[in-house]
Amino acid sequence: MPLLSLMILLPVLAALVIFILPGGDAQRARVIALGTTLVEFGLGLLLWRDYATDAPGFQFVEKLDLFAPYLSWHLGIDGIALMLIMLSVFLMPLCILASWTSIQKRVPEYMAAFLLMETLMIGTFAARDLFLFYLFFEGGLIPMFLIIGIWGGGRRIYASYKFFLYTLLGSVLMLLAMIYMAGVAQTTDIGELSRFDFAPDVQIWLFLAFFASFAVKMPMWPVHTWLPDAHVEAPTAGSVILAGVLLKLGGYGFVRFSLPMFPDASAHLIWLVFGLSMVAVVYTSLVALVQSDMKKLIAYSSVAHMAFVTAGLFALNTQGIEGSLMMMLSHGLVSAALFLCVGVVYDRLHTREIARYGGLANNMPRYALLFMFFTMASVGLPATSGFIAEFLVLIGLYQTSTWATLVMTTGIILGAAYMLWLYRRVVFGTAAGDDTRAMHDLSTREVVILAPIAAAVLWMGIYPASFQAPMKPAIAAIMTRLDGRELATLPTWLSFSSRAAVVADPATPEAAR
Amino acid sequence: MIQLLVFLPLVAAIIAGLGGRVIGHTAAKLLTTAALFTSAGLAWLIFVQFWLSGSAGYDVPVLDWIRSGDLVVNWAFKVDTLTAVMLVVVTTVSALVHLYSWGYMEEDPSQSRFFAYLSLFTFAMLMLVTADNLVQMFMGWEGVGLASYLLIGFWYTKPTANAAAIKAFVVNRVGDFGFSLGIFGTFLAFGTVSIPAILAAAPGMQGTTFSFLGAQVDVMTTLCLLLFVGAMGKSAQLGLHTWLPDAMEGPTPVSALIHAATMVTAGVFMVCRLSPMFETSATAQAVVTYVGAATALFAASVAIVQTDIKRVIAYSTCSQLGYMFFAAGSGAYGAAMFHLFTHAFFKALLFLGAGSVIHAMHHEQDMRFYGGLRKHIPITFALMTVGTLALTGFFFTAGYYSKDAILEAAYANGSIHAVVASLVGLVVAAMTSFYSWRLVFLTFFGAPRWAGSEHIQHALHGAHDHEDAPVHEPAPHAEPATGTAGYHPHESPWTMLLPLFVLGAGALFAGLLFHTAFVGPETGAEFWRGSLAFRGALMEAAEHVPSWMVAAPSVAFFAGLGLAWFYYLAKPELPARIAAAMPGLYAFLTHKWYFDELYDAIFVQPAFAIGRFLWVRGDQGIIDRFGPDGVAGAVRGSAVLARRFQSGYVYTYALVMIVGVAAAAAFFLVPHSLMAVGGR
């Protein structure tokens, strides 16, 4: 059974049904969307069950030459793609549920946009053809653009315009680089390209071209300013998908393209990435501290967390890369849950202004508990997924640069400060007004949305092996590509440990000492 | 058995916390308390095995946790003498505090939540002390931090409690910052985070260097100091101590359990657990010694002028933790653990006793409004006196043995820092005696001064909303009204008194009973069996210090007692006059050496100011202005221009961006420029 094609096409089909079949009302659209996304989740579980964990390379490969040699319907997943697909299909039904009552305008179109979104996300992770990837990767912009632009808040036009401008412009350079690569390597197969050795000086330019796109998608400082605006204006479910999955596209791009295809450039430009990541953590954490809008605060915290992803990836060792991928999964769950938590109170009071809340622990104890849990996961408390991710990133980064680790680790202090400060103002203290005091606790629907995420976060924190195992062969393959590449050198007084002068094979750490 | 011991409190916490509303307060309280008493029983069983039957240490693996490359971390319990001592301390005090809270929290509407937090804390603490690797220790470390945060902020409508809770968590995170870097460095140097493997390899690493922040530094010194920063945070040592006094905002049973007997001693435990590492670095030991001695002195000096009964005991805790650290820094790990052990009894006793006083005085905590209470709550008075005797080191009480062991061992160590610490320790012993007896005299002796208390006034007028009562802050030199105002303090219920009796017995006899095992030169080595770096020779030398050193702690005891008697019973008008005569010194001490003001000025305010600056000037003023908004403006400006801009735009923008990021990265390689960005 062509499982991947099925997963990609089913949501499109459902979207068409919602649109075309007559007699479409809002409720039917909701039910169809929920049913489809649940089926998708089921198919995802099948995928995970049948995935051969220890086998290297791509699995579930499908190939159909459409316009060969330029573009073929070429699909296949490795463990990294599998886990990100799982993240997408897991969050999708929760998004539909979260929009169940809060979206009343143009419901069929809304549901169709989300289903299309799902198609494009799965397609991005499953594509094995360079240009097919590009189509899915950039196509994801369109439904999100619509979701923000049509169902967004007051400044939705500005936000969606900014979002579109940033992300599209970044990717034009990537397209040029792809065309060049296809010409030189005579293939558009991502697997083959990952084994192709581009000349080191060419790699630098290709790396930078891809970097322009991925850095915006991440987002890395200083091209992050579209994110707070997009989040603030997006409806809750839009924020969930944006933070949960779309922010992972940049990191996925680095893992899928930059590291294996341009290993020399990656090793050479670690300080470009470290520099931006270090600034991002301190800068955005401090900015998050002074936000008065809940969504903006969490958006800025996302930028800080994504800086951990980039720093970990470019630590260029097993712990760093595994940590980054765990951070992508963990942040996908935790930030999604935090935006859902904001959505819960937004639905009741229709404001994101922190000062309008307070004392929710009194009238919303269940909410207080779950919000506390996700706050703690966000600050990386051990036994939650956030800790595994942060810990692996930092322990990996430490082996490459103690300076970078020192600066990045301040993130655990600042992160605690801004999240607890947020929580204290929203949940503790006394209510800002009678309407705040009258808010009712989580409904069953809301518990059903948040509880599975909490369970996943806990599982990932206590027994991360379930999630790491499928990704290990893929990471080992990347490490093989990176092994022995010469790292950028620094002035001696800033030099990091001599054992990191070349990328060391994790299996034999002694050799490089 | 160890699994049951550790996980019972967790199960109880989950049931009481999530199902508290379903099963009701009484069931939740019964469940958690029963779980804790069971755990305590098991802990004593384990302890007796190690104490009397010489059981060998063992490891109990539970589950794989993190595997990545050559990093392997498991969930596993390490049980040896050191663990057994901690198990006994943690579960015993916790069980007694659970029982005590039945009475103390009787009127609280969310009792089951309180008991769930207490049990959750106990679980995290047990994870910490049973950890067989640094990462699991860190998990327990952060777990107790979470529980502490939740319990300090338990009365979450109180702004001061919320502020204290956040402060505790964030300051501890500063310590954890050092701890984390220590773990990363340990993994880099040793290739493992397993504690037995690290301790076995530590002597071989002595004198080696590695690159840290660009400098070649001694491996063991660096690692020990980084880990010690974590210990300083958790154990409230000078510099990272500011959260502990504020933590007194939490309910008093919490102060007794977390902020006296168990969590704050985690740093001492960590240094002892890793003592073979610290033994390889004389520099690290000297730092530990000086920090400990400085904290002991600082905290005692502040305790002398505090008027809040809980804050006096909090600073006293801080000071006693200083003793434990300089004992460890002097190589007397057995003595450090001994003091940890005895301190748990008498300090928990003092806190719970203070809780009983506060309970009797309708939540008034200011000693200036106490006085003459010994006739009204005689049992509490008697037990508080027992605790004070033990703290101040009266003959044959628990503190007498453990404090003397520390002072003598530090003196016998002979190195300059240890001898300095022992002399500082003597001075602090006199100060300890002074402020402790001051507390007793102000509270239980003299004439009642209750009339000035707002809490008592509330009680008399039938207002029972003590949790929500505004924070009571009398003017510093307010002349307290005297008299009872017709209020009748009542002795606490048996659930609160019974734990006091048990702890009182510990405070009296724990020293006598255990000193040969913990610090005897030969018996000590046999008792610890390699679970910490026990120095038999040092403890032997400690038994042969000059006779003045043996007598000095007792002299200090009587000096402090005598002075306290003179100032607070014989001439009670003198202290105010002295304070008025030396306003500078008095303000310096009442403001706790201005640490809070300093940190607020150099960390808290700048963080918010810089954050606001970066947001308004950085994000909006520069990035957006020249980025998307600038583009939009240009596009709107002129169609002709726009076309030209648009055609060249993609290219220009991307090029500018790449050049910009590359330049920024190069720029930020220089740390000065990092500072420049921070201060822009």
Side-chain angles (χ1 to χ4, degrees):
Chain A
M1 185 169 60
L3 209 47
L4 289 174
S5 293
L6 188 64
M7 287 181 76
I8 291 173
L9 295 177
L10 186 64
V12 184
L13 211 66
L16 286 176
V17 168
I18 288 176
F19 260 134
I20 295 170
L21 278 194
D25 62 350
Q27 194 59 22
R28 195 191 67 172
R30 290 188 189 112
V31 172
I32 291 177
L34 183 62
T36 309
T37 51
L38 283 175
V39 169
E40 290 280 299
F41 180 56
L43 293 174
L45 289 177
L46 273 185
L47 204 62
W48 194 355
R49 192 198 66 186
D50 293 344
Y51 185 84
T53 301
D54 298 326
F58 289 92
Q59 302 182 25
F60 299 98
V61 175
E62 298 169 31
K63 188 162 186 190
L64 178 69
D65 288 332
L66 289 178
F67 311 101
Y70 307 109
L71 180 67
S72 34
W73 183 260
H74 191 177
L75 305 174
I77 53 168
D78 63 358
I80 297 170
L82 171 73
M83 292 323 295
L84 288 166
I85 289 177
M86 286 311 299
L87 178 67
S88 314
V89 295
F90 175 70
L91 289 177
M92 207 35 110
L94 306 179
C95 285
I96 304 295
L97 272 179
S99 316
W100 205 259
T101 55
S102 58
I103 299 293
Q104 295 295 343
K105 178 174 99 173
R106 299 191 183 192
V107 177
E109 287 89 338
Y110 179 87
M111 294 299 167
F114 265 87
L115 289 169
L116 199 59
M117 193 79 236
E118 179 159 33
T119 287
L120 295 166
M121 289 184 315
I122 298 173
T124 308
F125 297 130
R128 260 191 76 183
D129 181 277
L130 200 57
F131 294 108
L132 187 65
F133 169 85
Y134 185 81
L135 286 182
F136 282 128
F137 187 77
E138 297 307 337
L141 281 179
I142 298 163
M144 186 47 74
F145 181 74
L146 296 175
I147 289 167
I148 296 173
I150 298 175
W151 293 275
R155 296 178 72 218
R156 59 182 184 267
I157 303 300
Y158 173 72
S160 57
Y161 146 77
K162 201 166 168 183
F163 167 73
F164 198 77
L165 194 67
Y166 256 122
T167 52
L168 184 67
L169 292 175
S171 66
V172 171
L173 278 181
M174 182 173 81
L175 181 62
L176 293 176
M178 282 179 166
I179 294 169
Y180 173 85
M181 286 161 67
V184 172
Q186 286 300 309
T187 178
T188 58
D189 181 297
I190 290 176
E192 282 177 41
L193 282 167
S194 302
R195 288 185 294 274
F196 188 87
D197 290 309
F198 293 100
D201 51 335
V202 174
Q203 279 188 29
I204 299 281
W205 291 106
L206 294 176
F207 180 93
L208 290 175
F210 276 77
F211 187 77
S213 173
F214 298 153
V216 170
K217 279 271 184 351
M218 220 47 225
M220 293 174 80
W221 184 88
V223 288
H224 64 282
T225 60
W226 62 271
L227 186 70
D229 284 315
H231 269 310
V232 164
E233 302 308 328
T236 301
S239 285
V240 170
I241 286 303
L242 188 55
V245 186
L246 292 192
L247 291 198
K248 310 301 169 291
L249 293 180
Y252 178 72
F254 281 128
V255 175
R256 178 65 69 228
F257 295 92
S258 305
L259 293 183
M261 293 184 195
F262 323 123
D264 292 304
S266 298
H268 198 73
L269 292 172
I270 50 172
W271 278 99
L272 168 66
V273 178
F274 289 172
L276 296 180
S277 304
M278 285 153 67
V279 174
V281 164
V282 178
Y283 184 112
T284 53
S285 295
L286 289 173
V287 172
L289 203 55
V290 298
Q291 296 307 309
S292 55
D293 180 308
M294 290 162 115
K295 271 190 156 182
K296 264 202 175 158
L297 195 155
I298 299 169
Y300 275 108
S301 93
S302 292
V303 181
H305 280 104
M306 289 301 105
F308 276 89
V309 173
T310 47
L313 287 177
F314 285 83
L316 304 183
N317 52 40
T318 307
Q319 285 97 21
I321 297 176
E322 280 197 20
S324 292
L325 290 166
M326 289 304 283
M327 181 60 97
M328 284 158 64
L329 297 179
S330 164
H331 179 265
L333 295 172
V334 174
S335 68
L338 287 172
F339 279 118
L340 286 167
C341 284
V342 175
V344 165
V345 290
Y346 183 81
D347 285 348
R348 287 162 176 63
L349 217 55
H350 298 285
T351 174
R352 298 176 309 267
E353 197 64 32
I354 295 171
R356 288 282 288 108
Y357 293 94
L360 296 191
N362 277 323
N363 44 328
M364 303 178 73
R366 273 189 287 185
Y367 176 75
L369 177 71
L370 279 164
F371 193 10
M372 169 57 74
F373 178 81
F374 292 119
T375 299
M376 285 298 153
S378 175
V379 303
L381 199 82
T384 65
S385 58
F387 171 72
I388 308 289
E390 260 177 26
F391 180 75
L392 283 176
V393 163
L394 292 172
I395 207 167
L397 186 59
Y398 194 93
Q399 297 164 53
T400 305
S401 163
T402 45
W403 266 120
T405 313
L406 187 84
V407 176
M408 300 292 291
T409 309
T410 58
I412 72 168
I413 304 171
L414 296 169
Y418 63 70
M419 283 311 290
L420 293 185
W421 180 229
L422 168 70
Y423 189 83
R424 180 244 174 283
R425 286 177 290 169
V426 173
V427 178
F428 289 157
T430 46
D434 288 338
D435 47 355
T436 316
R437 203 170 289 118
M439 286 160 66
H440 55 88
D441 205 353
L442 295 181
S443 67
T444 312
R445 177 180 61 88
E446 287 160 337
V447 172
V448 166
I449 295 170
L450 288 170
I453 308 183
V457 166
L458 210 54
W459 182 6
M460 206 181 280
I462 291 170
Y463 194 69
S466 313
F467 303 88
Q468 284 177 296
M471 300 195 290
K472 282 186 187 286
I475 292 166
I478 294 168
M479 281 313 298
T480 317
R481 283 290 287 170
L482 289 166
D483 194 21
R485 309 284 168 171
E486 197 177 333
L487 284 173
T489 49
L490 277 177
T492 43
W493 58 276
L494 266 173
S495 69
F496 33 89
S497 166
S498 58
R499 79 176 268 206
V502 295
V503 178
D505 187 335
T508 55
E510 299 298 324
R513 245 184 240 186
Chain B
M1 190 151 82
I2 183 76
Q3 292 96 320
L4 189 65
L5 191 165
V6 174
F7 287 117
L8 259 183
L10 176 67
V11 173
I14 291 173
I15 297 175
L18 297 183
R21 259 186 302 272
V22 181
I23 60 176
H25 284 324
T26 313
K29 289 184 333 191
L30 260 180
L31 181 73
T32 50
T33 311
L36 257 297
F37 273 93
T38 313
S39 280
L42 292 172
W44 279 98
L45 271 181
I46 291 175
F47 177 73
V48 167
Q49 280 170 11
F50 279 95
W51 180 32
L52 297 178
S53 21
S55 159
Y58 50 93
D59 256 32
V60 184
V62 179
L63 192 69
D64 288 353
W65 189 13
I66 309 172
R67 264 156 216 268
S68 179
D70 46 351
L71 173 72
V72 178
V73 185
N74 291 325
W75 296 105
F77 299 129
K78 177 183 173 62
V79 189
D80 58 12
T81 311
L82 182 60
T83 309
V85 170
M86 291 305 289
L87 288 179
V88 161
V89 169
V90 172
T91 54
T92 307
V93 178
S94 180
L96 292 173
V97 165
H98 273 76
L99 181 61
Y100 181 91
S101 304
W102 280 69
Y104 195 84
M105 302 299 285
E106 210 175 5
E107 298 164 19
D108 199 281
S110 36
Q111 293 167 53
S112 41
R113 184 165 62 92
F114 181 78
F115 279 77
Y117 288 170
L118 281 185
S119 293
L120 177 70
F121 164 78
T122 312
F123 164 71
M125 191 70 203
L126 291 172
M127 290 300 281
L128 195 166
V129 301
T130 56
D132 98 318
N133 62 70
L134 291 175
V135 186
Q136 186 181 332
M137 188 189 274
F138 189 72
M139 179 266 167
W141 199 263
E142 292 260 293
V144 293
L146 167 68
S148 164
Y149 161 80
L150 292 171
L151 283 163
I152 295 170
F154 181 74
W155 288 316
Y156 53 78
T157 47
K158 235 166 98 182
T160 47
N162 285 322
I166 294 184
K167 186 171 175 185
F169 198 91
V170 174
V171 173
N172 266 294
R173 275 268 161 147
V174 177
D176 294 349
F177 168 78
F179 193 175
S180 312
L181 290 175
I183 296 177
F184 306 149
T186 308
F187 177 66
L188 181 69
F190 290 87
T192 175
V193 291
S194 151
I195 291 173
I198 294 167
L199 297 187
M205 297 290 284
Q206 189 164 11
T208 56
T209 61
F210 70 170
S211 168
F212 181 71
L213 303 184
Q216 282 297 317
V217 292
D218 187 81
V219 173
M220 295 314 295
T221 302
T222 312
L223 295 183
C224 287
L225 290 179
L226 286 172
L227 293 169
F228 181 60
V229 171
M232 285 174 68
K234 201 57 76 194
S235 294
Q237 293 299 287
L238 192 61
L240 295 179
H241 66 281
T242 54
W243 64 273
L244 182 59
D246 290 12
M248 297 302 123
E249 292 290 343
T252 305
V254 172
S255 312
L257 174 61
I258 301 185
H259 307 119
T262 58
M263 184 184 85
V264 289
T265 62
V268 181
F269 165 76
M270 184 232 256
V271 173
C272 289
R273 170 60 89 203
L274 302 177
S275 48
M277 283 179 82
F278 283 83
E279 286 288 291
T280 62
S281 168
T283 316
Q285 287 190 315
V287 172
V288 173
T289 308
Y290 281 128
V291 168
T295 308
L297 184 65
F298 154 78
S301 76
V302 175
I304 286 174
V305 298
Q306 293 298 307
T307 53
D308 182 309
I309 185 168
K310 284 180 71 181
R311 283 187 182 246
V312 174
I313 308 178
Y315 277 107
S316 165
T317 303
C318 202
S319 174
Q320 297 301 309
L321 290 166
Y323 272 99
M324 297 175 208
F325 275 112
F326 79 67
S330 312
Y333 303 101
M337 284 305 296
F338 189 32
H339 199 53
L340 187 162
F341 183 73
T342 60
H343 176 259
F345 289 104
F346 59 69
K347 194 49 70 65
L349 171 61
L350 283 173
F351 261 122
L352 294 184
S356 180
V357 173
I358 294 167
H359 192 73
M361 294 300 283
H362 208 83
H363 289 258
E364 175 56 75
Q365 301 191 8
D366 195 321
M367 297 190 297
R368 285 171 298 184
F369 302 115
Y370 290 173
L373 279 169
R374 72 180 186 282
K375 295 185 198 101
H376 300 272
I377 43 174
I379 304 177
T380 303
F381 163 64
L383 288 161
M384 284 286 277
T385 309
V386 167
T388 305
L389 284 170
L391 168 62
T392 53
F394 185 67
F395 299 111
F396 310 117
T397 59
Y400 169 76
Y401 288 100
S402 57
K403 196 179 287 181
D404 281 17
I406 287 177
L407 294 174
E408 286 163 12
Y411 186 79
N413 175 289
S415 65
I416 176 77
H417 51 86
V419 173
V420 167
S422 72
L423 298 178
V424 170
L426 274 180
V427 175
V428 175
M431 291 160 82
T432 307
S433 177
F434 178 77
Y435 68 68
S436 303
W437 289 110
R438 168 179 175 264
L439 183 154
V440 171
F441 295 151
L442 280 176
T443 306
F444 295 105
F445 289 82
R449 302 179 297 275
W450 314 337
S453 163
E454 284 179 21
H455 293 266
I456 299 293
Q457 297 294 344
H458 269 287
L460 292 171
H461 300 110
H464 284 278
D465 56 337
H466 46 264
E467 263 87 79
D468 300 320
V471 186
H472 177 64
E473 283 187 60
H477 293 289
E479 202 54 47
T482 52
T484 64
Y487 180 72
H488 295 288
H490 45 90
E491 189 60 277
S492 301
W494 70 270
T495 48
M496 291 171 66
L497 293 178
L498 184 67
L500 294 185
F501 278 104
V502 177
L503 292 169
L508 285 179
F509 304 117
L512 195 64
L513 205 56
F514 290 107
H515 77 278
T516 44
F518 277 72
V519 293
E522 279 151 28
T523 44
E526 207 179 291
F527 174 71
W528 293 109
R529 281 192 295 283
S531 58
L532 48 71
F534 191 81
R535 285 201 211 163
L538 177 67
M539 301 319 290
E540 180 70 41
E543 293 192 346
H544 304 291
V545 292
S547 52
W548 66 264
M549 188 68 210
V550 178
S554 301
V555 174
F557 166 79
F558 284 110
L561 173 61
L563 277 176
W565 172 82
F566 180 72
Y567 281 118
Y568 291 94
L569 287 187
K571 306 251 181 220
E573 72 284 354
L574 262 185
R577 227 185 291 160
I578 294 174
M582 291 185 286
L585 178 68
Y586 183 72
F588 183 66
L589 292 180
T590 45
H591 284 90
K592 303 156 280 191
W593 295 25
Y594 292 102
F595 268 103
D596 281 334
E597 288 83 352
L598 183 73
Y599 286 176
D600 191 57
I602 62 177
F603 294 123
V604 182
Q605 298 305 331
F608 279 92
I610 294 170
R612 209 163 286 124
F613 180 88
L614 291 176
W615 181 39
V616 176
R617 297 269 170 248
D619 268 21
Q620 297 171 5
I622 297 173
I623 299 175
D624 277 356
R625 188 164 152 222
F626 296 108
D629 295 355
V631 173
V635 169
R636 270 194 299 273
S638 140
V640 183
L641 261 179
R643 269 176 65 187
R644 212 194 301 161
F645 262 67
Q646 268 186 331
S647 60
Y649 168 71
V650 174
Y651 212 73
T652 318
Y653 181 84
L655 193 71
V656 165
M657 195 197 85
I658 290 164
V659 171
V661 283
F667 184 69
F668 289 119
L669 290 185
V670 189
H672 300 299
S673 51
L674 260 183
M675 301 302 289
V677 170
R680 219 167 26 176

